[in-house]
PDB file of all heavy atoms in Angstrom:
ATOM      1  N   GLY A 133      95.234  93.784  80.893  1.00 86.00           N
ATOM      2  CA  GLY A 133      94.563  92.874  81.814  1.00 86.00           C
ATOM      3  C   GLY A 133      94.228  91.550  81.174  1.00 86.00           C
ATOM      4  O   GLY A 133      94.994  91.016  80.373  1.00 86.00           O
ATOM      5  N   MET A 134      93.084  91.042  81.539  1.00 82.00           N
ATOM      6  CA  MET A 134      92.665  89.757  80.996  1.00 82.00           C
ATOM      7  C   MET A 134      91.169  89.754  80.743  1.00 82.00           C
ATOM      8  O   MET A 134      90.427  90.541  81.330  1.00 82.00           O
ATOM      9  CB  MET A 134      93.047  88.617  81.941  1.00 82.00           C
ATOM     10  CG  MET A 134      92.209  88.496  83.191  1.00 82.00           C
ATOM     11  SD  MET A 134      92.716  87.162  84.287  1.00 82.00           S
ATOM     12  CE  MET A 134      92.428  85.715  83.307  1.00 82.00           C
ATOM     13  N   LEU A 135      90.764  88.888  79.865  1.00 70.00           N
ATOM     14  CA  LEU A 135      89.348  88.603  79.681  1.00 70.00           C
ATOM     15  C   LEU A 135      89.051  87.387  80.553  1.00 70.00           C
ATOM     16  O   LEU A 135      89.515  86.286  80.276  1.00 70.00           O
ATOM     17  CB  LEU A 135      89.031  88.291  78.218  1.00 70.00           C
ATOM     18  CG  LEU A 135      88.985  89.506  77.297  1.00 70.00           C
ATOM     19  CD1 LEU A 135      88.979  89.082  75.843  1.00 70.00           C
ATOM     20  CD2 LEU A 135      87.759  90.345  77.610  1.00 70.00           C
ATOM     21  N   ALA A 136      88.332  87.617  81.616  1.00 68.00           N
ATOM     22  CA  ALA A 136      88.046  86.561  82.592  1.00 68.00           C
ATOM     23  C   ALA A 136      86.691  85.922  82.271  1.00 68.00           C
ATOM     24  O   ALA A 136      85.755  85.962  83.073  1.00 68.00           O
ATOM     25  CB  ALA A 136      88.055  87.145  84.000  1.00 68.00           C
ATOM     26  N   TRP A 137      86.619  85.323  81.105  1.00 65.00           N
ATOM     27  CA  TRP A 137      85.350  84.767  80.636  1.00 65.00           C
ATOM     28  C   TRP A 137      84.715  83.819  81.647  1.00 65.00           C
ATOM     29  O   TRP A 137      83.500  83.807  81.805  1.00 65.00           O
ATOM     30  CB  TRP A 137      85.560  84.018  79.312  1.00 65.00           C
ATOM     31  CG  TRP A 137      85.928  84.885  78.158  1.00 65.00           C
ATOM     32  CD1 TRP A 137      87.123  84.903  77.506  1.00 65.00           C
ATOM     33  CD2 TRP A 137      85.105  85.854  77.489  1.00 65.00           C
ATOM     34  NE1 TRP A 137      87.095  85.835  76.489  1.00 65.00           N
ATOM     35  CE2 TRP A 137      85.872  86.426  76.450  1.00 65.00           C
ATOM     36  CE3 TRP A 137      83.796  86.287  77.671  1.00 65.00           C
ATOM     37  CZ2 TRP A 137      85.378  87.398  75.592  1.00 65.00           C
ATOM     38  CZ3 TRP A 137      83.312  87.261  76.814  1.00 65.00           C
ATOM     39  CH2 TRP A 137      84.083  87.810  75.801  1.00 65.00           C
ATOM     40  N   THR A 138      85.523  83.036  82.334  1.00 73.00           N
ATOM     41  CA  THR A 138      84.969  82.036  83.261  1.00 73.00           C
ATOM     42  C   THR A 138      84.357  82.679  84.499  1.00 73.00           C
ATOM     43  O   THR A 138      83.647  82.007  85.246  1.00 73.00           O
ATOM     44  CB  THR A 138      86.053  81.031  83.700  1.00 73.00           C
ATOM     45  OG1 THR A 138      87.090  81.729  84.395  1.00 73.00           O
ATOM     46  CG2 THR A 138      86.622  80.280  82.498  1.00 73.00           C
ATOM     47  N   GLN A 139      84.610  83.960  84.716  1.00 73.00           N
ATOM     48  CA  GLN A 139      84.080  84.642  85.902  1.00 73.00           C
ATOM     49  C   GLN A 139      82.928  85.588  85.584  1.00 73.00           C
ATOM     50  O   GLN A 139      82.300  86.119  86.498  1.00 73.00           O
ATOM     51  CB  GLN A 139      85.205  85.430  86.579  1.00 73.00           C
ATOM     52  CG  GLN A 139      86.326  84.535  87.068  1.00 73.00           C
ATOM     53  CD  GLN A 139      87.434  85.343  87.675  1.00 73.00           C
ATOM     54  OE1 GLN A 139      87.198  86.246  88.453  1.00 73.00           O
ATOM     55  NE2 GLN A 139      88.666  85.012  87.328  1.00 73.00           N
ATOM     56  N   TYR A 140      82.657  85.810  84.308  1.00 70.00           N
ATOM     57  CA  TYR A 140      81.634  86.771  83.926  1.00 70.00           C
ATOM     58  C   TYR A 140      80.233  86.168  84.008  1.00 70.00           C
ATOM     59  O   TYR A 140      80.026  85.004  83.647  1.00 70.00           O
ATOM     60  CB  TYR A 140      81.845  87.261  82.494  1.00 70.00           C
ATOM     61  CG  TYR A 140      83.133  88.006  82.261  1.00 70.00           C
ATOM     62  CD1 TYR A 140      83.712  88.004  80.993  1.00 70.00           C
ATOM     63  CD2 TYR A 140      83.778  88.726  83.258  1.00 70.00           C
ATOM     64  CE1 TYR A 140      84.885  88.696  80.739  1.00 70.00           C
ATOM     65  CE2 TYR A 140      84.951  89.421  83.016  1.00 70.00           C
ATOM     66  CZ  TYR A 140      85.505  89.401  81.758  1.00 70.00           C
ATOM     67  OH  TYR A 140      86.666  90.078  81.507  1.00 70.00           O
ATOM     68  N   ASP A 141      79.287  86.998  84.421  1.00 77.00           N
ATOM     69  CA  ASP A 141      77.888  86.596  84.338  1.00 77.00           C
ATOM     70  C   ASP A 141      77.422  86.799  82.890  1.00 77.00           C
ATOM     71  O   ASP A 141      78.182  87.287  82.039  1.00 77.00           O
ATOM     72  CB  ASP A 141      77.021  87.388  85.325  1.00 77.00           C
ATOM     73  CG  ASP A 141      77.085  88.895  85.117  1.00 77.00           C
ATOM     74  OD1 ASP A 141      77.364  89.355  83.984  1.00 77.00           O
ATOM     75  OD2 ASP A 141      76.869  89.633  86.088  1.00 77.00           O
ATOM     76  N   VAL A 142      76.197  86.433  82.583  1.00 78.00           N
ATOM     77  CA  VAL A 142      75.692  86.487  81.212  1.00 78.00           C
ATOM     78  C   VAL A 142      75.745  87.923  80.670  1.00 78.00           C
ATOM     79  O   VAL A 142      76.179  88.145  79.535  1.00 78.00           O
ATOM     80  CB  VAL A 142      74.253  85.920  81.139  1.00 78.00           C
ATOM     81  CG1 VAL A 142      73.645  86.141  79.772  1.00 78.00           C
ATOM     82  CG2 VAL A 142      74.253  84.446  81.495  1.00 78.00           C
ATOM     83  N   PHE A 143      75.335  88.887  81.472  1.00 71.00           N
ATOM     84  CA  PHE A 143      75.349  90.278  81.036  1.00 71.00           C
ATOM     85  C   PHE A 143      76.771  90.737  80.695  1.00 71.00           C
ATOM     86  O   PHE A 143      77.005  91.334  79.643  1.00 71.00           O
ATOM     87  CB  PHE A 143      74.735  91.195  82.104  1.00 71.00           C
ATOM     88  CG  PHE A 143      74.856  92.648  81.770  1.00 71.00           C
ATOM     89  CD1 PHE A 143      74.008  93.232  80.836  1.00 71.00           C
ATOM     90  CD2 PHE A 143      75.834  93.432  82.363  1.00 71.00           C
ATOM     91  CE1 PHE A 143      74.131  94.569  80.499  1.00 71.00           C
ATOM     92  CE2 PHE A 143      75.969  94.768  82.043  1.00 71.00           C
ATOM     93  CZ  PHE A 143      75.114  95.341  81.106  1.00 71.00           C
ATOM     94  N   THR A 144      77.719  90.447  81.571  1.00 70.00           N
ATOM     95  CA  THR A 144      79.108  90.883  81.364  1.00 70.00           C
ATOM     96  C   THR A 144      79.709  90.177  80.151  1.00 70.00           C
ATOM     97  O   THR A 144      80.429  90.792  79.365  1.00 70.00           O
ATOM     98  CB  THR A 144      79.953  90.635  82.624  1.00 70.00           C
ATOM     99  OG1 THR A 144      79.328  91.298  83.729  1.00 70.00           O
ATOM    100  CG2 THR A 144      81.375  91.142  82.455  1.00 70.00           C
ATOM    101  N   LYS A 145      79.409  88.884  79.970  1.00 67.00           N
ATOM    102  CA  LYS A 145      79.910  88.169  78.789  1.00 67.00           C
ATOM    103  C   LYS A 145      79.400  88.832  77.509  1.00 67.00           C
ATOM    104  O   LYS A 145      80.156  89.035  76.559  1.00 67.00           O
ATOM    105  CB  LYS A 145      79.479  86.699  78.809  1.00 67.00           C
ATOM    106  CG  LYS A 145      80.411  85.798  79.525  1.00 67.00           C
ATOM    107  CD  LYS A 145      80.015  84.345  79.349  1.00 67.00           C
ATOM    108  CE  LYS A 145      80.959  83.493  80.173  1.00 67.00           C
ATOM    109  NZ  LYS A 145      80.639  82.070  80.111  1.00 67.00           N
ATOM    110  N   THR A 146      78.125  89.181  77.495  1.00 67.00           N
ATOM    111  CA  THR A 146      77.543  89.821  76.313  1.00 67.00           C
ATOM    112  C   THR A 146      78.211  91.168  76.068  1.00 67.00           C
ATOM    113  O   THR A 146      78.588  91.480  74.926  1.00 67.00           O
ATOM    114  CB  THR A 146      76.027  89.993  76.492  1.00 67.00           C
ATOM    115  OG1 THR A 146      75.441  88.700  76.719  1.00 67.00           O
ATOM    116  CG2 THR A 146      75.394  90.638  75.277  1.00 67.00           C
ATOM    117  N   LEU A 147      78.366  91.931  77.110  1.00 69.00           N
ATOM    118  CA  LEU A 147      79.013  93.243  76.999  1.00 69.00           C
ATOM    119  C   LEU A 147      80.449  93.095  76.494  1.00 69.00           C
ATOM    120  O   LEU A 147      80.876  93.813  75.581  1.00 69.00           O
ATOM    121  CB  LEU A 147      78.981  93.963  78.341  1.00 69.00           C
ATOM    122  CG  LEU A 147      79.600  95.350  78.382  1.00 69.00           C
ATOM    123  CD1 LEU A 147      78.830  96.305  77.489  1.00 69.00           C
ATOM    124  CD2 LEU A 147      79.628  95.859  79.815  1.00 69.00           C
ATOM    125  N   MET A 148      81.199  92.164  77.056  1.00 67.00           N
ATOM    126  CA  MET A 148      82.597  91.970  76.656  1.00 67.00           C
ATOM    127  C   MET A 148      82.694  91.455  75.219  1.00 67.00           C
ATOM    128  O   MET A 148      83.638  91.804  74.502  1.00 67.00           O
ATOM    129  CB  MET A 148      83.320  91.051  77.630  1.00 67.00           C
ATOM    130  CG  MET A 148      83.462  91.618  79.033  1.00 67.00           C
ATOM    131  SD  MET A 148      84.128  93.300  79.088  1.00 67.00           S
ATOM    132  CE  MET A 148      85.780  93.017  78.536  1.00 67.00           C
ATOM    133  N   ARG A 149      81.752  90.659  74.790  1.00 65.00           N
ATOM    134  CA  ARG A 149      81.740  90.223  73.383  1.00 65.00           C
ATOM    135  C   ARG A 149      81.568  91.422  72.453  1.00 65.00           C
ATOM    136  O   ARG A 149      82.221  91.511  71.422  1.00 65.00           O
ATOM    137  CB  ARG A 149      80.624  89.216  73.136  1.00 65.00           C
ATOM    138  CG  ARG A 149      80.962  87.824  73.562  1.00 65.00           C
ATOM    139  CD  ARG A 149      79.837  86.876  73.187  1.00 65.00           C
ATOM    140  NE  ARG A 149      80.209  85.525  73.479  1.00 65.00           N
ATOM    141  CZ  ARG A 149      79.382  84.630  74.001  1.00 65.00           C
ATOM    142  NH1 ARG A 149      78.136  84.956  74.282  1.00 65.00           N
ATOM    143  NH2 ARG A 149      79.794  83.408  74.245  1.00 65.00           N
ATOM    144  N   LEU A 150      80.686  92.340  72.838  1.00 67.00           N
ATOM    145  CA  LEU A 150      80.481  93.550  72.035  1.00 67.00           C
ATOM    146  C   LEU A 150      81.737  94.425  72.019  1.00 67.00           C
ATOM    147  O   LEU A 150      82.138  94.930  70.974  1.00 67.00           O
ATOM    148  CB  LEU A 150      79.299  94.358  72.573  1.00 67.00           C
ATOM    149  CG  LEU A 150      77.919  93.758  72.345  1.00 67.00           C
ATOM    150  CD1 LEU A 150      76.858  94.536  73.114  1.00 67.00           C
ATOM    151  CD2 LEU A 150      77.596  93.745  70.854  1.00 67.00           C
ATOM    152  N   ILE A 151      82.355  94.592  73.176  1.00 67.00           N
ATOM    153  CA  ILE A 151      83.539  95.441  73.284  1.00 67.00           C
ATOM    154  C   ILE A 151      84.707  94.869  72.483  1.00 67.00           C
ATOM    155  O   ILE A 151      85.450  95.601  71.844  1.00 67.00           O
ATOM    156  CB  ILE A 151      83.931  95.638  74.762  1.00 67.00           C
ATOM    157  CG1 ILE A 151      82.883  96.504  75.469  1.00 67.00           C
ATOM    158  CG2 ILE A 151      85.318  96.242  74.899  1.00 67.00           C
ATOM    159  CD1 ILE A 151      83.039  96.558  76.981  1.00 67.00           C
ATOM    160  N   THR A 152      84.854  93.559  72.507  1.00 66.00           N
ATOM    161  CA  THR A 152      86.028  92.929  71.875  1.00 66.00           C
ATOM    162  C   THR A 152      85.740  92.369  70.486  1.00 66.00           C
ATOM    163  O   THR A 152      86.620  91.736  69.907  1.00 66.00           O
ATOM    164  CB  THR A 152      86.566  91.793  72.773  1.00 66.00           C
ATOM    165  OG1 THR A 152      85.558  90.776  72.910  1.00 66.00           O
ATOM    166  CG2 THR A 152      86.983  92.311  74.139  1.00 66.00           C
ATOM    167  N   ARG A 153      84.580  92.615  69.944  1.00 60.00           N
ATOM    168  CA  ARG A 153      84.199  91.982  68.673  1.00 60.00           C
ATOM    169  C   ARG A 153      85.148  92.284  67.517  1.00 60.00           C
ATOM    170  O   ARG A 153      85.337  91.445  66.640  1.00 60.00           O
ATOM    171  CB  ARG A 153      82.766  92.317  68.308  1.00 60.00           C
ATOM    172  CG  ARG A 153      82.531  93.737  67.874  1.00 60.00           C
ATOM    173  CD  ARG A 153      81.060  93.995  67.545  1.00 60.00           C
ATOM    174  NE  ARG A 153      80.828  95.384  67.282  1.00 60.00           N
ATOM    175  CZ  ARG A 153      80.493  96.292  68.178  1.00 60.00           C
ATOM    176  NH1 ARG A 153      80.331  95.932  69.435  1.00 60.00           N
ATOM    177  NH2 ARG A 153      80.304  97.547  67.842  1.00 60.00           N
ATOM    178  N   ASN A 154      85.767  93.461  67.491  1.00 60.00           N
ATOM    179  CA  ASN A 154      86.705  93.771  66.411  1.00 60.00           C
ATOM    180  C   ASN A 154      88.029  93.036  66.588  1.00 60.00           C
ATOM    181  O   ASN A 154      88.616  92.573  65.615  1.00 60.00           O
ATOM    182  CB  ASN A 154      86.937  95.277  66.309  1.00 60.00           C
ATOM    183  CG  ASN A 154      85.702  95.998  65.819  1.00 60.00           C
ATOM    184  OD1 ASN A 154      84.883  95.423  65.117  1.00 60.00           O
ATOM    185  ND2 ASN A 154      85.563  97.248  66.206  1.00 60.00           N
ATOM    186  N   ALA A 155      88.501  92.936  67.804  1.00 59.00           N
ATOM    187  CA  ALA A 155      89.771  92.281  68.070  1.00 59.00           C
ATOM    188  C   ALA A 155      89.637  90.758  68.060  1.00 59.00           C
ATOM    189  O   ALA A 155      90.536  90.055  67.598  1.00 59.00           O
ATOM    190  CB  ALA A 155      90.338  92.735  69.417  1.00 59.00           C
ATOM    191  N   GLU A 156      88.540  90.267  68.595  1.00 66.00           N
ATOM    192  CA  GLU A 156      88.301  88.827  68.675  1.00 66.00           C
ATOM    193  C   GLU A 156      86.863  88.532  68.260  1.00 66.00           C
ATOM    194  O   GLU A 156      85.972  88.428  69.101  1.00 66.00           O
ATOM    195  CB  GLU A 156      88.513  88.326  70.101  1.00 66.00           C
ATOM    196  CG  GLU A 156      89.947  88.178  70.515  1.00 66.00           C
ATOM    197  CD  GLU A 156      90.065  87.437  71.828  1.00 66.00           C
ATOM    198  OE1 GLU A 156      89.641  86.250  71.880  1.00 66.00           O
ATOM    199  OE2 GLU A 156      90.569  88.024  72.781  1.00 66.00           O
TER     200      GLU A 156
END
Side-chain angles (χ1 to χ4, degrees):
M134 74 181 296
L135 284 167
W137 293 112
T138 62
Q139 298 178 45
Y140 297 153
D141 58 27
V142 172
F143 174 77
T144 304
K145 272 187 183 178
T146 302
L147 181 64
M148 295 310 292
R149 280 184 175 140
L150 289 171
I151 291 170
T152 62
R153 71 181 173 269
N154 291 333
E156 283 191 62

